[in-house]
Amino acid sequence: TILMNIIVTITMMVHLKKAKSIPLMQSEQTNFVSAAFAQAQQAFTNVEKSSDSGRYATVDIGGVLNGIREPFAAYELGFQQPLNTENNEHYIYSIIRHSSGQWIGSKTLVSIYTKDNPHHDFGTAITYTRKYAAKALLGIADKDTDGN
């Protein structure tokens, strides 16, 4: 298992060197979405861990989304995270939408490290990418301990 951890760590380091810096994306105008988001964000609370594997305490994507549903609804905001493939790379788009049609979003590369089950590993990579991309765009902190 030590050898496997070393291989995964090296693979991650190589992949991070290839990572692309992708700027924040937005609609032409953002005054309404920005104002509504600022109001909704005041009602956010830091999310607590939702699972504990014994070694790691983590917050799942459901915990993140549950924390924004009511504040977003109150200020006519929505949040979505579609998956898109471009040039054989997979991306999660995290988008905050306002009822005015304005939006702010980000694009995050899905890092996939296949070991034994490529479909399971792909699903895991999507879930982790969604969680961390959402937290980054939404400005949500947690007490996550799995990011050693």
Side-chain angles (χ1 to χ4, degrees):
T1 62
I2 293 173
L3 180 58
M4 181 58 112
N5 287 339
I6 292 170
I7 292 170
V8 169
T9 301
I10 291 170
T11 304
M12 288 171 52
M13 290 170 58
V14 168
H15 188 74
L16 286 174
K17 286 186 177 186
K18 293 181 190 176
K20 300 172 185 134
S21 175
I22 301 170
L24 186 68
M25 303 176 303
Q26 62 189 40
S27 55
E28 189 172 318
Q29 300 291 318
T30 61
N31 55 319
F32 293 122
V33 68
S34 295
F37 179 64
Q39 292 294 317
Q41 201 173 30
Q42 291 180 27
F44 291 177
T45 57
N46 290 344
V47 291
E48 298 292 328
K49 68 179 183 175
S50 51
S51 66
D52 192 342
S53 66
R55 182 173 174 199
Y56 302 120
T58 64
V59 175
D60 63 22
I61 185 65
V64 173
L65 297 178
N66 285 337
I68 69 166
R69 279 196 177 93
E70 286 185 30
F72 266 42
Y75 293 97
E76 301 181 23
L77 293 168
F79 185 73
Q80 66 183 136
Q81 291 186 295
L83 172 68
N84 194 25
T85 302
E86 302 167 15
N87 300 318
N88 294 319
E89 293 182 318
H90 305 288
Y91 294 91
I92 293 291
Y93 286 79
S94 299
I95 306 164
I96 299 170
R97 295 188 181 277
H98 185 258
S99 61
S100 67
Q102 294 179 1
W103 58 275
I104 299 171
S106 65
K107 175 181 172 182
T108 307
L109 179 66
V110 178
S111 300
I112 305 166
Y113 306 104
T114 302
K115 294 181 282 187
D116 301 322
N117 185 339
H119 297 291
H120 180 267
D121 294 343
F122 183 58
T124 299
I126 290 170
T127 300
Y128 270 87
T129 304
R130 286 184 64 211
K131 176 175 75 168
Y132 290 109
K135 288 173 27 183
L137 182 62
L138 298 167
I140 295 175
D142 66 28
K143 296 179 182 176
D144 198 344
T145 62
D146 72 346
N148 294 342

